Amino acid sequence: MQAKTAAMVAGAVASIALTGQVFAQSNVSIYGIADNGVEIINNASSAANANNTLTRLSSGNLSGSRLGFRGNEDLGGGLKAVFILEAGIGLDTGTSLQGGRMFGRQALIGLQGQWGNLYLGRQNSMMLEWMSKYNTMDNATWSAKVHDGAFSDRMDNAIKYTQKFGAVEMATYYSTNYNGQESSDSAKVGRQYGLGLQYRGEGFGMAALYDQKQGTTLATKDNADKHLTLGARYKFGKAEVLGGYLTRRQQALGVADVRTNMVWIGGSYQITGPLQLSASLYHTDRKNSNQDPTSVIAMAKYALSKRTDLYLIASYASNKDNASQAQTLGVNGFNSNVAAGKNQFGTMAGIRHTF
């Protein structure tokens, strides 16, 4: 009996040890960002008054608030299986963002190896993954995406491939329908694809990306929204300079093409260990129109620790007096809480914690 018991115990210990070895090959982590603050903007439009001052809590000002799960498994021979499930959360209301999706920021699985990285699922376009990094505000609420929402693009039903060659990285992606279900009616409906190159050297980086979207219905399948974006950054000492150029062409059947060019430049400086100051200037030139808005965004960020920081951001959006509502730029984007033809000033202060 004692021998049988000893054998059972030895078997259980061996089983636990084997299980531990299996788990040791896998790595799963939970991570997130909690970011919330107060936003105040003037000349905010409403049904009753076009000159309101709007004060509200605003989530994800500096970084989108999120809860994520990330993992990988070593398959041997330099090959890994990876996954990301990342949910966007509005801390002001506790609701799911990205249209109410459970994992609206990212939901993907893939393989990584010496041959490159292949990902399948809902994921960032390279406008978000790369090009938003070439302005001082990254993908903050007030950033380059105020002038062009493509800087914050995510894609449903997407396949992405990336590969690095030293300091050079290439990426290409294709979505069978970037914002919904695939269509059997046409090979064009809802398609999105892109191709880019990036160089990240010591203190210097630059990237170029072409991105194109087709219309999301059978009637608009031949409509196209095309972006060609260039960005560069240079860091020296405690300072960094960032800038870029974007040219966009929107094509729709039966109407003239809409062409816009956007330029931006900015910089940041680490005043002390915890205190950083930064500012950016953005300008959009809409061809065959004099309604060309400009915005300036400045920020002071103070790190209380490696995980928690305070921030104060100010933004000013300048428009022509005769700008239509659709072409009026507010601090939160075109036709967003701003009265037609008005300039707008806004400020936000908040706290961000990462874990």
Side-chain angles (χ1 to χ4, degrees), residues 174-178 183 185-192 213-217 220-223:
Y174 182 85
S175 170
T176 54
N177 194 304
Y178 62 86
S183 171
D185 297 321
S186 170
K188 287 186 176 181
V189 174
R191 292 330 195 234
Q192 181 175 357
K213 297 179 186 175
Q214 300 298 128
T216 56
T217 67
T220 62
K221 64 183 176 63
D222 291 317
N223 294 357

Side-chain angles (χ1 to χ4, degrees), residues 31-354:
Y31 65 94
I33 297 176
D35 183 336
N36 212 353
V38 178
E39 175 187 59
I40 304 173
I41 56 177
N42 70 355
N43 289 333
S45 62
S46 71
N49 194 331
N51 297 299
N52 288 335
T53 295
L54 176 62
T55 302
R56 62 186 175 189
L57 280 180
S58 180
S59 174
N61 301 313
L62 196 56
S63 302
S65 298
R66 70 199 69 172
L67 176 64
F69 305 86
R70 179 188 292 115
N72 65 74
E73 181 185 13
D74 189 349
L75 302 176
L79 185 66
K80 287 185 178 181
V82 298
F83 78 89
I84 299 176
L85 297 173
E86 189 174 280
I89 303 170
L91 291 193
D92 49 346
T93 61
T95 55
S96 296
L97 303 181
Q98 290 82 42
R101 293 174 173 88
M102 180 178 290
F103 295 108
R105 293 181 62 88
Q106 295 186 85
L108 62 89
I109 190 167
L111 293 172
Q112 296 177 342
Q114 295 181 350
W115 45 266
N117 309 302
L118 181 66
Y119 306 110
L120 308 175
R122 176 171 170 84
Q123 49 195 304
N124 301 331
S125 80
M126 303 315 292
M127 285 291 289
L128 172 55
E129 199 80 22
W130 283 1
M131 305 313 300
S132 65
K133 310 300 181 185
Y134 288 92
N135 81 97
T136 60
M137 297 302 296
D138 198 339
N139 192 41
T141 298
W142 295 351
S143 63
K145 69 182 181 184
V146 169
H147 283 253
D148 194 317
F151 281 100
S152 191
D153 269 356
R154 294 181 175 89
M155 309 170 292
D156 290 342
N157 309 301
I159 302 170
K160 183 194 295 179
Y161 172 77
T162 67
Q163 175 63 298
K164 289 184 178 181
F165 307 93
V168 177
E169 183 177 7
M170 66 81 63
T172 185
Y173 51 90
Y174 182 85
S175 170
T176 54
N177 194 304
Y178 62 86
N179 194 28
Q181 299 297 319
E182 295 90 346
S183 171
S184 61
D185 297 321
S186 170
K188 287 186 176 181
V189 174
R191 292 330 195 234
Q192 181 175 357
Y193 50 89
L195 176 65
L197 283 174
Q198 179 171 231
Y199 172 81
R200 291 191 291 181
E202 187 68 29
F204 175 74
M206 61 184 301
L209 177 71
Y210 178 80
D211 177 275
Q212 179 169 330
K213 297 179 186 175
Q214 300 298 128
T216 56
T217 67
L218 188 60
T220 62
K221 64 183 176 63
D222 291 317
N223 294 357
D225 190 359
K226 304 175 181 179
H227 288 79
L228 177 62
T229 313
L230 308 173
R233 60 194 306 164
Y234 179 63
K235 188 172 184 179
F236 49 100
K238 296 182 178 181
E240 186 172 26
V241 177
L242 308 92
Y245 170 81
L246 178 152
T247 181
R248 181 182 186 186
R249 182 179 181 183
Q250 296 168 275
Q251 298 173 299
L253 293 178
V255 298
D257 292 357
V258 177
R259 296 174 180 266
T260 55
N261 294 328
M262 175 187 168
V263 294
W264 71 94
I265 189 168
S268 64
Y269 188 79
Q270 199 74 33
I271 301 296
T272 65
L275 178 62
Q276 182 186 63
L277 301 180
S278 60
S280 289
L281 172 70
Y282 307 87
H283 178 74
T284 294
D285 174 22
R286 184 183 175 97
K287 297 300 182 183
N288 302 316
S289 169
N290 64 351
Q291 299 178 5
D292 303 329
T294 301
S295 66
V296 179
I297 304 173
M299 176 180 68
K301 184 174 64 175
Y302 188 87
L304 298 175
S305 69
K306 289 184 178 181
R307 294 181 178 271
T308 304
D309 44 36
L310 304 175
Y311 57 84
L312 177 65
I313 308 173
S315 178
Y316 181 75
S318 175
N319 297 281
K320 301 293 178 64
D321 290 339
N322 64 344
S324 66
Q325 183 67 57
Q327 295 180 9
T328 298
L329 180 71
V331 295
N332 286 299
F334 286 98
N335 193 19
S336 178
N337 297 124
V338 61
K342 294 289 187 177
N343 300 329
Q344 189 173 69
F345 175 78
T347 184
M348 59 171 59
I351 181 171
R352 177 182 64 174
H353 176 75
T354 63

